[in-house]
Amino acid sequence: HYTVDILLRPAKQIVVCFDHAGIAENKPDRTRPGWGFGFVSKHTDKAGIFVKPTASHWFRKPGLFDLCRDLRDSGFFTRYDSVITYGGSMGGYAALAYADAFCADKVLSLNPQATLSKALVPWETRFPQGRAQEWDSFPVNAALGAAHAARVVVAFDRRCAEDAAHVDLLDLPQKTDLNIPFVGHGVPYHLREMGLLERLFSDVAEDRFDPAEWRRLVRARRSLDDYKARIEAGLSARRAR
C-alpha cells in the first residue's frame, strides 16, 4: 500500500514527509518524488523519508507501522539528533498520527484531519475515500500518535469550520496553533504563494518558531488574489441574505 523513499546522507536531522490526497490520487506513479522531496533534497543538512501511499487511504492501510518498528528497532533513528514529521491535509493527519512511531520530536501539520471516523466526526463529508477506511484501530485520533513529540505546530484557517473542528479535536498540550484566516483548506498553497512555506518549515525544524512573529508574517496573505476573492465572496454572500 506504500512506496517509501529514503534519502540517506550525513545529517543531524531527518524529515519524514507524507503525501496529501491530491498527489496520491492524481500521481500514483511510484517513481515520482514524494511530498517535500524538492525542499529536503536541496538542504544538505537534512536526510529524508518520503511516504507515498498508492491511493488516498489516509495511511490507514497496514504495513507502515511495521516499517516504523523495524527502523526503530534497528537503531536507525539514533543516528539523528532530531526527527520532524511534515505533511498537509491527509499528510497533515499522518504527520501527527505517525510522529511517535517515527520517533519524531517535532511535527509540522498543515490543515490536518484529526480523524475521519464516522462515529467521531459525522459532520465531515469532504473526503469519501478516507471515510471509507477502517477507523477502529489505533490511532483513531491523530493526536494519539503524537503524544511524545516535544513540539507540534498546526497551521490552519479557523474560519474554515471543518478544519477548525478537526484542530480542536487534537488534544495535545504541546500544540501551537497558527491561524491563517480566509485561506480555506489550502494552507500549503497560500504559504507558498506568500513565499513563507519553506521558512515556516525551517523555523519549526530549527526551533525558531515564534507564534507572535508568525501572526504578523501571515498578514502577507492580504496581497493574494485568492484571499481577496474569498473576502469578496463572503461579503457578497452576506449581502444576499
Side-chain angles (χ1 to χ4, degrees):
H1 301 290
Y2 306 92
T3 298
V4 179
D5 299 335
I6 302 180
L7 175 63
L8 285 176
R9 56 188 175 188
K12 291 185 176 181
Q13 185 176 66
I14 188 165
V15 186
V16 185
C17 299
F18 299 89
D19 282 353
H20 60 72
I23 298 177
E25 285 299 310
N26 298 318
K27 296 182 179 180
D29 184 358
R30 292 173 180 264
T31 64
R32 63 168 172 77
W35 162 271
F37 178 82
F39 168 73
V40 175
S41 62
K42 72 181 182 183
H43 287 262
T44 56
D45 61 333
K46 300 189 188 311
I49 297 176
F50 307 91
V51 184
K52 303 183 292 185
T54 55
S56 298
H57 51 56
W58 260 253
F59 302 89
R60 298 297 299 182
K61 298 298 185 183
L64 193 52
F65 276 115
D66 294 337
L67 171 67
C68 296
R69 182 198 61 231
D70 292 345
L71 288 173
R72 183 184 65 243
D73 292 352
S74 72
F76 176 84
F77 295 109
T78 61
R79 70 184 73 183
Y80 303 103
D81 295 339
S82 174
V83 180
I84 178 171
T85 55
Y86 173 45
S89 191
M90 180 179 81
Y93 159 81
L96 292 157
Y98 285 90
D100 291 347
F102 276 103
C103 302
D105 56 299
K106 302 179 184 72
V107 178
L108 175 57
S109 179
L110 310 178
N111 45 245
Q113 298 80 49
T115 181
L116 291 180
S117 165
K118 295 176 183 177
L120 297 177
V121 290
W123 40 264
E124 177 58 272
T125 60
R126 295 176 296 174
F127 310 108
Q129 307 100 311
R131 283 166 58 82
Q133 304 305 313
E134 181 274 314
W135 286 92
D136 295 325
S137 59
F138 180 86
V140 180
N141 183 313
L144 296 171
H148 297 100
R151 176 136 220 188
V152 175
V153 175
V154 178
F156 69 110
D157 177 359
R158 185 159 286 284
R159 288 184 174 272
C160 178
E162 296 93 339
D163 284 4
H166 279 291
V167 173
D168 289 344
L169 287 172
L170 298 171
D171 186 14
L172 291 165
Q174 75 276 40
K175 176 171 67 75
T176 301
D177 293 346
L178 175 60
N179 178 29
I180 311 177
F182 295 108
V183 299
H185 191 68
V187 167
Y189 167 78
H190 287 87
L191 284 169
R192 186 171 62 248
E193 290 298 294
M194 289 185 277
L196 294 174
L197 183 58
E198 290 194 11
R199 177 170 175 179
L200 177 60
F201 176 87
S202 295
D203 280 6
V204 175
E206 306 302 330
D207 292 318
R208 295 191 302 263
F209 180 79
D210 180 340
E213 179 186 22
W214 271 93
R215 286 193 293 271
R216 177 183 60 80
L217 287 171
V218 297
R219 292 175 187 165
R221 69 190 183 279
R222 297 172 182 175
S223 65
L224 301 179
D225 291 340
D226 186 71
Y227 172 84
K228 295 174 184 177
R230 287 175 180 272
I231 295 293
E232 291 171 0
L235 291 173
S236 297
R238 187 172 296 181
R239 284 194 295 264
R241 290 174 184 170

